[in-house]
Amino acid sequence: MRPGRLGVGVIGAGRVGAVLGAALRAVGHSVVGVSAISEQSRDRAAALLPGVPLLEPAEIVERCELVVLAVPDDDLVPLVRGLAELDHWQTGQIVLHTSGRHGIAALAPAAARGAVCLAVHPVLAFTGMSLDLARLTGAMVAVTAPAAFLPIAQALVVEMGAEPVVLSEEDFPVVGGILARVREDVDRSTRQALRRLAEADVEDPARMAGPLVRAVLENALAAGPERPATGLAPPDSPIE
């Protein structure tokens, strides 16, 4: 490894964890182990992190200098607390979580044992496949950490090809919640439209709706938050 490279462990080989592990590995860090419970997660780990052994979370914490916690939002706090109760966290160890719901307060039990705690939330809709590595390049990533540790979070994000955006501890979960709502609303409305087109016997719903959906999103993003709607006719209006 090049100087400054870290031994990385990934707890949670979901769509986010496996991709971030692969991104860190691509820039020279060594992925020491990955924790994966479901068969789907194990398959994803094998595809994105070939050759990396499957380990228990406690083993990963004991062996790694950088621990990436990419578990569901509801599991994060109990996991960190449980590992602290078993006295696994180490002084100087970097602990990074990817949840948009929590700031660094979720990592308090690790911080109390001297760990360097970072909250790093990529603003992406992950598929858990290799194409996410290309999407990560240039993507925005929300970060928060104690002031002394912010450069570490920013450096890790930049290494993965993304762009860090520093948020306060208070704003981090607020922004994360807004972005989660955007993702859910766009996904739900698009899928609903595709189902209705299919029910109307449209042969290729995605091909028909795709240009419209992409144009509406691009127009809304270009217009910005202060401008009114772009003049699209409402759904029940005749097409001019």
Side-chain angles (χ1 to χ4, degrees), residues 74-109:
D74 292 339
D75 296 343
L76 178 62
V77 172
L79 173 64
V80 176
R81 184 186 302 121
L83 289 167
E85 290 171 355
L86 295 173
D87 202 26
H88 287 305
W89 300 115
Q90 305 168 46
T91 300
Q93 184 176 50
I94 302 171
V95 183
L96 177 160
H97 82 68
T98 63
S99 170
R101 185 190 298 177
H102 302 283
I104 53 174
L107 302 177

Side-chain angles (χ1 to χ4, degrees), residues 12-219:
R15 296 178 181 181
V16 179
V19 171
L20 294 190
L24 289 167
R25 194 184 202 186
V27 295
H29 296 287
S30 175
V31 181
V32 176
V34 58
S35 170
I37 298 174
S38 70
E39 183 177 349
Q40 187 177 25
S41 293
R42 290 171 180 263
D43 290 342
R44 188 179 295 115
L48 287 170
L49 298 168
V52 175
L54 295 174
L55 301 176
E56 293 297 319
E59 292 180 277
I60 288 174
V61 174
E62 289 173 355
R63 297 185 187 186
C64 298
E65 299 161 290
L66 167 60
V67 178
V68 177
L69 302 176
V71 297
D73 293 336
D74 292 339
D75 296 343
L76 178 62
V77 172
L79 173 64
V80 176
R81 184 186 302 121
L83 289 167
E85 290 171 355
L86 295 173
D87 202 26
H88 287 305
W89 300 115
Q90 305 168 46
T91 300
Q93 184 176 50
I94 302 171
V95 183
L96 177 160
H97 82 68
T98 63
S99 170
R101 185 190 298 177
H102 302 283
I104 53 174
L107 302 177
R113 284 159 175 77
V116 174
C117 296
L118 318 172
V120 175
H121 180 62
V123 185
L124 282 175
F126 285 83
T127 65
M129 296 186 288
S130 58
L131 61 87
D132 290 338
L133 294 170
R135 291 176 174 175
L136 189 59
T137 300
M140 307 292 279
V141 177
V143 301
T144 191
F149 302 146
L150 266 176
I152 299 174
Q154 292 169 301
L156 288 170
V157 170
V158 170
E159 276 197 309
M160 291 186 285
E163 183 176 344
V165 179
V166 177
L167 299 176
S168 69
E169 173 73 354
E170 294 74 22
D171 288 342
F172 190 89
V174 174
V175 172
I178 293 169
L179 294 171
R181 180 64 182 270
V182 169
R183 182 174 60 248
E184 292 164 5
D185 286 353
V186 171
D187 181 77
R188 181 172 57 251
S189 61
T190 302
R191 290 177 183 273
Q192 182 183 51
L194 295 178
R195 283 195 298 271
R196 294 179 67 179
L197 288 170
E199 291 166 0
D201 295 326
V202 172
E203 183 176 347
D204 191 342
R207 184 178 179 186
M208 173 173 279
L212 171 64
V213 172
R214 284 187 283 271
V216 169
L217 289 174
E218 289 293 339
N219 290 345

